[in-house]
Amino acid sequence: MERVNETVVREFIFLGFSSLARLQQLLFVIFLLLYLFTLGTNAIIISTIVLDRALHIPMYFFLAILSCSEICYTFVTVPKMLIDLLSQKKTISFLGCAIQMFSFLFLGCSHSFLLAVMGYDRYIAICNPLRYSVLMGHGACMGLVAAACACGFTVAQIITSLVFHLPFYSSNQLHHFFCDIAPVLKLASHHNHFSQIVIFMLCTLVLAIPLLLILVSYVHILSAILQFPSTLGRCKAFSTCVSHLIIVTVHYGCASFVYLRPQSNYSSSQDALISVSYTIITPLFNPMIYSLRNKEFKSALCKIVRRTIFLS
């Protein structure tokens, strides 16, 4: 009876940058340039890998998938955020919010499992080089990517269903710039503790399982590298793993801070700042870290640029 006069939430209002009202036009320009640069760099990486046959190996196949993932990942949140920075009405429908959360979680969870797949690829390349082409054939690579996406899809579907089956009345002011788990849960009129426990456990597993697989892979990799007879060989082998380790550290550092905290420690201002880093800045640097550190990729890119100039 208490909820008869309460209004069911049909849309949410984003308040992520409301405290920076005077800087929103400047933020729009900065974020737009970063977004366009992200799209451009990832498109160049994908094109280079597709056009150069020398890069048609598992490591670059996974890098191309990573770049595709980064493009889709930013597309889910950044265009809407850019529109809201210039508009007075910063709203999203209830269904639109659910779709955005599902898409974001699907891509983010798939990203975590994809990093584990890339760690496994490095493990096979260094610890079992003679069987690399057999163990990491085209079918195996496609299967690993499909498994990563299937895991991401399942987790995203469960979490989104649990969040949006909660009752939402009256309050619809979302202290964020997109529909993330914690800020949306904060608006729920009734908190189901079972749902919260399941969501927390799923977030923990999505981060812990791939990270554990990555750690196991690198224990074997380090053990194999230490057995190499020459220092040059050790350095060369380890250099192929450094880029992956940097990306893993950044990804799991940000994700753990946002998703593995108790609800009582939730801070909308802190989360908005961290979210900007992993929705805009990290997708820009992840593929660049991989490609710019790689002589083989840079050589292929220069070759394609020269060929394009010659043809034109």
Side-chain angles (χ1 to χ4, degrees):
M1 292 298 291
E2 290 179 3
R3 287 180 180 160
V4 170
N5 296 324
E6 290 184 342
T7 306
V8 176
V9 171
R10 299 188 184 278
E11 65 177 17
F12 294 101
I13 300 170
F14 290 125
L15 300 177
F17 298 109
S18 57
S19 60
L20 302 171
R22 294 182 180 180
L23 298 175
Q24 288 192 9
Q25 290 184 342
L26 176 62
L27 290 174
F28 172 82
V29 173
I30 293 170
F31 292 155
L32 177 62
L33 291 174
L34 288 172
Y35 180 56
L36 293 175
F37 198 58
T38 300
L39 294 180
T41 51
N42 283 289
I44 289 169
I45 289 167
I46 295 167
S47 302
T48 304
I49 293 169
V50 169
L51 293 172
D52 195 297
R53 286 186 172 276
L55 301 182
H56 291 185
I57 58 174
M59 185 176 78
Y60 294 106
F61 170 74
F62 294 130
L63 178 57
I65 297 295
L66 181 71
S67 290
C68 287
S69 172
E70 300 292 13
I71 289 172
C72 297
Y73 187 72
T74 53
F75 183 75
V76 169
T77 56
V78 179
K80 172 62 177 167
M81 181 193 68
L82 292 172
I83 292 168
D84 289 342
L85 283 170
L86 295 182
S87 62
Q88 294 295 320
K89 190 180 181 183
K90 309 175 194 298
T91 60
I92 188 170
S93 67
F94 189 85
L95 177 61
C97 189
I99 292 170
Q100 188 184 56
M101 181 182 288
F102 170 79
S103 303
F104 181 79
L105 290 174
F106 165 57
L107 291 164
C109 294
S110 300
H111 188 95
S112 288
F113 287 104
L114 182 60
L115 288 175
V117 169
M118 295 172 86
Y120 175 72
D121 172 66
R122 291 299 83 211
Y123 158 70
I124 297 295
I126 293 171
C127 298
N128 211 338
L130 297 178
R131 298 188 64 201
Y132 181 69
S133 59
V134 176
L135 295 174
M136 297 302 291
H138 182 70
C141 292
M142 292 296 291
L144 288 168
V145 171
C149 291
C151 291
F153 181 88
T154 304
V155 172
Q157 190 175 40
I158 294 170
I159 292 177
T160 306
S161 298
L162 288 172
V163 170
F164 286 92
H165 271 87
L166 294 172
F168 290 87
Y169 298 99
S170 301
S171 179
N172 68 339
Q173 295 187 338
L174 199 67
H175 290 273
H176 216 305
F177 59 88
F178 71 95
C179 294
D180 206 356
I181 299 170
V184 174
L185 277 176
K186 200 174 182 183
L187 296 183
S189 302
H190 171 69
H191 290 279
N192 185 323
H193 291 295
F194 174 75
S195 296
Q196 286 187 321
I197 291 168
V198 172
I199 290 168
F200 182 78
M201 288 300 295
L202 283 173
C203 290
T204 304
L205 290 173
V206 164
L207 292 172
I209 292 174
L211 185 58
L212 182 62
L213 293 173
I214 290 167
L215 289 173
V216 170
S217 295
Y218 275 103
V219 166
H220 287 286
I221 287 169
L222 189 60
S223 177
I225 288 174
L226 291 175
Q227 293 176 19
F228 285 12
S230 68
T231 306
L232 183 62
R234 291 175 195 169
C235 293
K236 190 176 180 180
F238 190 72
S239 67
T240 64
C241 304
V242 171
S243 300
H244 181 251
L245 285 171
I246 293 170
I247 292 173
V248 166
T249 303
V250 173
H251 174 79
Y252 285 99
C254 291
S256 299
F257 179 82
V258 173
Y259 296 107
L260 298 186
R261 287 177 304 159
Q263 284 292 107
S264 56
N265 292 343
Y266 172 74
S267 167
S268 57
S269 58
Q270 275 186 341
D271 274 22
L273 184 63
I274 294 293
S275 297
V276 167
S277 71
Y278 71 75
T279 55
I280 300 176
I281 299 171
T282 305
L284 169 65
F285 287 114
N286 276 358
M288 287 179 66
I289 290 168
Y290 252 104
S291 57
L292 293 179
R293 288 183 53 86
N294 192 298
K295 292 180 180 179
E296 194 176 14
F297 180 87
K298 287 189 286 186
S299 175
L301 178 59
C302 291
K303 188 166 63 176
I304 288 169
V305 170
R306 285 196 298 269
R307 190 192 309 163
T308 305
I309 293 170
F310 177 75
L311 289 173
S312 63

